[in-house]
Amino acid sequence: MYHILTFSMVLFLIGCATSPPRRTETPESQQAKGIVQGAPSPEVPPPEASLQQAPLSSGAQVYAPLTTDEALFFQQYIDRLSYLVYYDESSGLDPQLAKAAVSQANRYLIEKQGLSPIDFEQIQRNKEDQMSAYRAETGGSIDIVTYIAQKLNADIYLEIDAKTTFGGGPGGWTGSAQGSMKIFDASTAVLLGSISFLSPQTFSPVSPEAAMMNAITASVWQSMPKVTEQAKALVGSATARRGVRYELVLQKTPDPKAISQFEKRLAQRVREVERLSYAPGESRFVLYAFLPASKIQDAIYDAAAVSGFPDCYLLYMRGRSYTFNTGL
């Protein structure tokens, strides 16, 4: 007789929600493609174009080629995508089976990718320690595990929906697993892609739980190469055009002229700036740049200092999302 268990576990990583217009092929953009596709990276010649966007006659935009430093940052960023693996606690999955599945995904990332995924126990501790901060900062707008992934700077999360079955009897249990792995951007929760899997039937002389554990861990291990390859390709194809996406909330913005000046100054320090909203109490922006998070923070301080609010300060940072107060 067969028994069915369902579960979801979550693996967290980051990408862009929308795809901007394509830019002209250059040696740098070809290098970016090679990075995403796993090809050797040719040496990038010194850039000759500026970082400004050039409008086309059709009204579309073409993006300037990457500089040598930007190409290097891009390669390192794609190679070092940060993952967080977890599971859906509402699924009713046995905690030991869930932990084994998470550990298998982390084991692949460590042994085959040379990465340092976020530890299962660390997630558990953060869920207990960060609950008050989570409620204060998000108001429940996102789930607690997504919040933790952003706090711990995960780039990608993976949601694994699966069913496990067992059969046989004492001394000869069989198990199988089938489902899909959806790749999401950790910052925006935008779906980037999906991988389906179906495990071969596994065997255990010990118990039905052991047979199902063999099936789900085998499925996770066999799927991870495709998952990581697709994550790099999807994140890389979006990032190569505009840069890494950062979000900025600027509180206390009573002077619209000063905010426009701030936007122009900031645009000189990053690839692109989009103002999402303006109000006297708060303004929101999206930034794109081939820069690490620390450099983005410096760029915000520099732009603020020459735009009329030198006392601007950081309230908090969650992943690639910043909240600043102008100090006005």
Side-chain angles (χ1 to χ4, degrees), residues 278-297:
Y278 170 80
E282 178 183 282
S283 296
R284 292 178 175 268
F285 304 86
V286 172
L287 320 177
Y288 295 92
F290 292 94
L291 295 171
S294 60
K295 296 296 184 182
I296 294 295
Q297 185 172 327

Side-chain angles (χ1 to χ4, degrees), residues 63-97:
Y63 294 92
L66 276 65
T67 68
T68 303
D69 288 343
E70 286 177 330
L72 178 60
F73 169 81
F74 173 79
Q75 179 173 359
Q76 293 174 342
Y77 173 73
I78 295 301
D79 288 343
R80 298 174 183 174
L81 290 175
S82 175
Y83 295 80
L84 183 149
V85 188
Y86 204 63
Y87 71 103
D88 183 0
E89 293 175 304
S90 67
S91 66
L93 181 67
D94 178 84
Q96 294 302 315
L97 187 60

Side-chain angles (χ1 to χ4, degrees), residues 5 7 93-102 164 209 212-214 216-217:
L5 298 177
F7 76 93
L93 181 67
D94 178 84
Q96 294 302 315
L97 187 60
K99 186 175 181 179
V102 171
T164 59
E209 290 78 17
M212 289 186 293
M213 183 175 293
N214 290 341
I216 190 59
T217 54

Side-chain angles (χ1 to χ4, degrees), residues 16-284:
C16 302
T18 59
S19 297
R22 293 183 180 178
R23 58 184 173 86
T24 305
E25 286 292 326
T26 65
E28 290 79 11
S29 63
Q30 291 172 357
Q31 182 209 34
K33 280 187 177 180
I35 294 168
V36 172
Q37 297 170 356
S41 302
E43 184 177 349
V44 180
E48 297 179 356
S50 69
L51 298 183
Q52 302 302 314
Q53 299 169 359
L56 298 175
S57 58
S58 62
Q61 291 177 333
V62 59
Y63 294 92
L66 276 65
T67 68
T68 303
D69 288 343
E70 286 177 330
L72 178 60
F73 169 81
F74 173 79
Q75 179 173 359
Q76 293 174 342
Y77 173 73
I78 295 301
D79 288 343
R80 298 174 183 174
L81 290 175
S82 175
Y83 295 80
L84 183 149
V85 188
Y86 204 63
Y87 71 103
D88 183 0
E89 293 175 304
S90 67
S91 66
L93 181 67
D94 178 84
Q96 294 302 315
L97 187 60
K99 186 175 181 179
V102 171
S103 298
Q104 187 76 333
N106 286 341
R107 174 175 163 242
Y108 178 87
L109 293 171
I110 293 169
E111 295 182 4
K112 300 299 184 180
Q113 298 291 314
L115 301 175
S116 299
I118 298 165
D119 181 66
F120 182 87
E121 299 299 336
Q122 183 181 2
I123 301 171
Q124 297 286 68
R125 290 193 299 270
N126 271 269
K127 286 180 62 181
E128 298 175 2
D129 299 341
Q130 298 289 330
M131 185 59 69
S132 296
Y134 157 72
R135 290 170 178 166
E137 292 183 24
T138 70
S141 60
I142 58 175
D143 64 77
I144 180 65
V145 180
T146 300
Y147 172 80
I148 292 171
Q150 294 175 352
K151 291 285 285 187
L152 297 178
N153 296 322
D155 293 308
I156 299 288
Y157 78 84
L158 179 74
E159 183 180 78
I160 304 181
D161 294 319
K163 294 181 179 180
T164 59
T165 63
F166 70 86
W173 298 102
T174 61
S176 63
Q178 63 178 344
S180 65
M181 298 185 178
K182 296 179 180 179
I183 303 167
F184 291 88
D185 178 278
S187 293
T188 64
V190 171
L191 177 65
L192 299 177
S194 181
I195 297 290
S196 298
F197 65 84
L198 175 63
S199 76
Q201 192 171 69
T202 58
F203 172 82
S204 174
V206 179
S207 66
E209 290 78 17
M212 289 186 293
M213 183 175 293
N214 290 341
I216 190 59
T217 54
S219 296
V220 169
W221 183 267
Q222 292 169 4
S223 299
M224 286 301 290
K226 293 181 180 179
V227 168
T228 53
E229 180 182 354
Q230 190 170 104
K232 289 181 179 181
L234 293 168
V235 174
S237 63
T239 305
R241 297 184 180 97
R242 305 170 89 178
V244 178
R245 186 180 190 271
Y246 296 91
E247 298 179 0
L248 169 62
V249 177
L250 195 59
Q251 297 181 348
K252 292 188 178 180
T253 55
D255 186 350
K257 291 184 179 180
I259 297 306
S260 293
Q261 181 71 9
F262 169 78
E263 183 178 351
K264 291 178 183 177
R265 295 287 187 176
L266 188 57
Q268 295 173 357
R269 293 164 169 79
V270 299
R271 274 260 170 168
E272 187 177 347
V273 178
E274 291 181 5
R275 191 195 306 187
L276 301 180
S277 65
Y278 170 80
E282 178 183 282
S283 296
R284 292 178 175 268

